[in-house]
Amino acid sequence: MVYANDNFIQLPETYLFSEIAKRVETFKASHPEANIIRMGIGDVTLPLSKTVIQAMHKAVDEMASGATFKGYGPDKGYSFLVDKIIEHDYKAIGVDLSTEEVFVSDGAKSDSGNIGDILSKDNIIAVTDPVYPVYIDTNVMGGRAGELGKDGKWSNIVYLSSTAENGFIPQLPTEKVSVVYLCFPNNPTGTTLTKVQLKEWVDYAIANKVLLLFDAAYEAFITEKDVPHSIYEIEGAKQVAIEFRSYSKTAGFTGTRCSYTIVPKECTGYLKNGKSVSINALWNRRQATKFNGTPYIIQRGAEATYTEEGKKEVKEMIQYYMENARIIRTSLEKLGYEVYGGVNAPYIWLKVPTGYTSWTFFDKLLTEKHIVTTPGVGFGPSGEGYIRLTAFGSKEQTIEAMIRLTK
Ligand code: PLP
């Protein structure tokens, strides 16, 4: 008899997006004429840039000739890309990394999920709440979450509330934890930490031998000076932090798949017998065993984002989305709503008016304004009372949505 992983059975249905789809479908069935604007999606809409496409076409042609064909590549990524990451993404901000510390991959989702492979089942995990659901669900699969309570919280996971009440600055855990997921700029709230605020986390992690899993998937959207692009801008962070980065939102690679994870050599874990172990060595082993590398063609595309032209194109894409974010934020503020985010991230987090819940306000916007948003409660208990709007749509639709809200 085959025994399945019981942990998977504990996972509830992926309720959020299926419920949104169901409500939209029901509304459409009774209002087929409605022109629905989707501001709930977390996917990009602009096509890949010219320079990226050219680089990928060239790489495809290389695959057609025996002289330039590429089979299995290095599982940690080709040096042409790793070297660019080190130079442009880190050296440029004063962070020195060696090639052994960079692991090119196929997504920040995969890596932030797979990282659990190298962590003991006995770790107590903390997440900021609301949270990118992957951090929770992968720990449920790994048997680290305990049981789901009626309050929407898993019994063995520590939830660090991040709401308007604390300025979206989660408090350091008061109980003992071993791993903390931090995502800044944050999905879903769109808020960030300053260098001073992030330093508190690094100091805490060093003092308590805690591992920080820092998701920087949205770093390219940062516009303010005192907001760190990398956790390694904070002194000592290499001892305690892993950083996830992605080309998905930065350069439109959501369907193309390329990302990387930084695991510094100093980053240390501990065995039950008290001995210390290199987290870098464990991740290296994990990737070498289970991952055969991101496709050559895709890595050539990612490399092209570091050329002068590529950089310019990527910057324009980000500015396009951030202009949408500005339009959403300022329009909602003018209408008297309490809004957060949208300055260093493509997400706007709106506090629903008194008397509404996340879902009832979602329904109001859908049925009265034909606008689809994401109810905040879907990201965790502290998301109740908020909805998320994204800036990834077209400028025309973004403006049209704001006009509808003003009417
Ligand atoms: N991390 C965060 C916080 C995200 O919001 C997302 C995508 O929405 C990802 C990671 C996934 O990134 P990737 O496309 O590289 O898997």
Side-chain angles (χ1 to χ4, degrees):
M1 189 186 343
V2 58
Y3 295 106
N5 182 341
D6 287 52
N7 298 323
F8 278 62
I9 307 307
Q10 290 211 68
L11 277 171
E13 288 300 309
T14 45
Y15 168 76
L16 180 62
F17 290 100
S18 58
E19 181 62 23
I20 291 173
K22 208 167 86 190
R23 291 187 190 208
V24 174
E25 281 317 306
T26 307
F27 178 73
K28 265 170 66 181
S30 54
H31 299 81
E33 76 298 341
N35 171 17
I36 292 177
I37 299 180
R38 294 175 190 272
M39 302 191 81
I41 49 157
D43 198 357
V44 294
T45 50
L46 292 175
L48 290 170
S49 80
K50 201 170 100 238
T51 308
V52 166
I53 290 293
Q54 277 168 355
M56 292 203 294
H57 274 301
K58 186 163 171 272
V60 169
D61 288 340
E62 286 179 57
M63 287 300 199
S65 154
T68 49
F69 169 78
K70 300 283 185 298
Y72 289 126
D75 51 65
K76 291 173 63 184
Y78 283 98
S79 60
F80 62 74
L81 179 57
V82 171
D83 291 347
K84 304 272 182 337
I85 291 168
I86 291 174
E87 189 191 329
H88 294 265
D89 291 347
Y90 290 97
K91 215 177 165 80
I93 55 167
V95 175
D96 286 322
L97 291 176
S98 68
T99 51
E100 299 83 48
E101 295 174 309
V102 182
F103 295 81
V104 174
S105 184
D106 62 359
K109 184 176 190 173
S110 342
D111 282 9
S112 61
N114 290 333
I115 200 74
D117 277 10
I118 65 163
L119 301 173
S120 159
K121 258 176 98 167
D122 302 328
N123 286 302
I124 300 291
I125 306 292
V127 296
T128 58
D129 172 30
V131 64
Y132 177 51
V134 172
Y135 312 152
I136 301 264
D137 290 359
T138 54
N139 277 292
V140 175
M141 291 172 181
R144 277 183 285 265
E147 278 160 28
L148 184 58
K150 286 210 170 69
D151 57 359
K153 295 184 179 179
W154 292 87
S155 56
N156 290 349
I157 290 186
V158 173
Y159 290 75
L160 308 168
S161 182
S162 179
T163 60
E165 281 67 42
N166 60 12
F168 298 94
I169 302 159
Q171 268 197 347
L172 299 174
T174 46
E175 52 275 86
K176 256 194 179 330
V177 307
S178 3
V179 178
V180 185
Y181 289 81
L182 295 176
C183 173
F184 292 105
N186 188 263
N187 177 15
T189 66
T191 59
T192 49
L193 292 188
T194 62
K195 279 185 192 161
V196 172
Q197 288 157 351
L198 187 57
K199 183 175 184 310
E200 277 190 39
W201 277 98
V202 171
D203 292 347
Y204 157 82
I206 294 171
N208 294 280
K209 295 190 163 74
V210 164
L211 179 66
L212 300 178
L213 298 175
F214 191 76
D215 189 337
Y218 297 96
E219 69 75 32
F221 294 85
I222 293 172
T223 61
E224 291 181 318
K225 268 221 167 81
D226 61 343
V227 177
H229 286 253
S230 163
I231 195 166
Y232 307 120
E233 289 178 60
I234 314 297
E235 203 186 328
K238 283 187 181 174
Q239 298 164 49
V240 289
I242 290 176
E243 179 162 294
F244 305 103
R245 292 247 191 137
S246 173
Y247 296 91
S248 282
K249 308 297 163 76
T250 310
F253 275 57
T254 50
T256 310
R257 313 305 304 146
C258 194
S259 68
Y260 62 85
T261 293
I262 305 297
V263 189
K265 286 211 183 130
E266 290 107 297
C267 191
T268 306
Y270 300 89
L271 302 175
K272 295 259 168 57
N273 62 14
K275 277 195 179 155
S276 59
V277 59
S278 159
I279 293 285
N280 175 284
L282 297 191
W283 185 246
N284 192 25
R285 184 62 201 257
R286 191 268 171 211
Q287 289 299 80
T289 303
K290 290 197 182 180
F291 187 58
N292 251 343
T294 308
Y296 173 74
I297 298 163
I298 304 299
Q299 290 192 57
R300 280 294 186 199
E303 183 199 18
T305 64
Y306 296 104
T307 60
E308 211 156 289
E309 198 54 31
K311 272 186 176 177
K312 206 172 123 242
E313 292 164 351
V314 163
K315 205 169 156 196
E316 279 165 10
M317 263 186 203
I318 288 167
Q319 279 172 349
Y320 180 88
Y321 294 132
M322 288 311 281
E323 172 60 8
N324 287 348
R326 191 195 62 75
I327 292 167
I328 299 169
R329 196 168 39 82
T330 52
S331 308
L332 294 174
E333 272 168 0
K334 263 196 212 141
L335 290 169
Y337 289 110
E338 222 181 288
V339 286
Y340 303 93
V343 177
N344 297 297
Y347 296 121
I348 287 91
W349 194 237
L350 178 149
K351 189 147 179 54
V352 303
T354 314
Y356 288 95
T357 64
S358 287
W359 277 111
T360 57
F361 198 62
F362 166 91
D363 283 335
K364 182 181 169 65
L365 292 181
L366 173 63
T367 56
E368 294 178 13
K369 307 289 179 184
H370 308 168
I371 297 171
V372 182
T373 57
T374 313
V377 69
F379 297 99
S382 294
E384 179 54 280
Y386 294 88
I387 55 161
R388 189 191 74 174
L389 295 112
T390 83
F392 287 126
S394 71
K395 185 170 179 179
E396 294 70 29
Q397 290 229 309
T398 302
I399 291 172
E400 165 65 19
M402 294 304 113
I403 292 170
R404 286 187 196 174
L405 288 176
T406 310
K407 274 183 188 159

